[in-house]
């Protein structure tokens, strides 16, 4: 939003998971200087994968239920187009109820 009138600031983001990366991107879009600090030696938080002996292990669920094309394109770009798209079948059973 180029029309925003804000004071330019130095912003520190703690964590390079999806929320931290999104916050940093938005801050940079509006002109702030951003530094991101992450405890791991990789980005993505719970949306990262690790490769060992030909196998891929997910750190956590790689889930986005968005239907917004610009978000889908941003996520696809982040993984160089290497992702699977499928319908989720989510069920929960608790206290005798689905």
């Amino acid at each position: 939003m180029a029309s925003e009138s804000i004071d330019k600031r130095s912003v520190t983001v703690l964590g390079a998971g999806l929320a931290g990366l999104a916050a940093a991107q938005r801050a940079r879009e509006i002109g702030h200087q951003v530094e991101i600090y992450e405890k791991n030696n990789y980005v993505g938080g719970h949306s990262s994968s690790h490769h060992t002996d030909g196998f891929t292990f997910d750190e956590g669920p790689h889930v986005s239920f968005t239907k917004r094309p610009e978000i889908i394109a941003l996520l696809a770009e982040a993984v160089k187009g290497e992702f699977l798209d499928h319908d989720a079948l989510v069920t929960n059973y608790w206290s005798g109820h689905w």
Side-chain angles (χ1 to χ4, degrees), residues 14-60:
L14 301 179
L18 291 180
L21 293 173
Q25 178 184 10
R26 180 65 181 130
R28 284 185 178 140
E29 285 174 355
I30 60 175
H32 294 309
Q33 177 66 36
V34 179
E35 290 203 34
I36 303 172
Y37 292 90
E38 170 57 49
K39 67 178 179 177
N40 297 309
N41 62 355
Y42 56 88
V43 300
H46 290 294
S47 65
S48 61
S49 297
H50 309 280
H51 306 282
T52 303
D53 297 329
F55 295 94
T56 302
F57 298 94
D58 295 336
E59 173 72 24

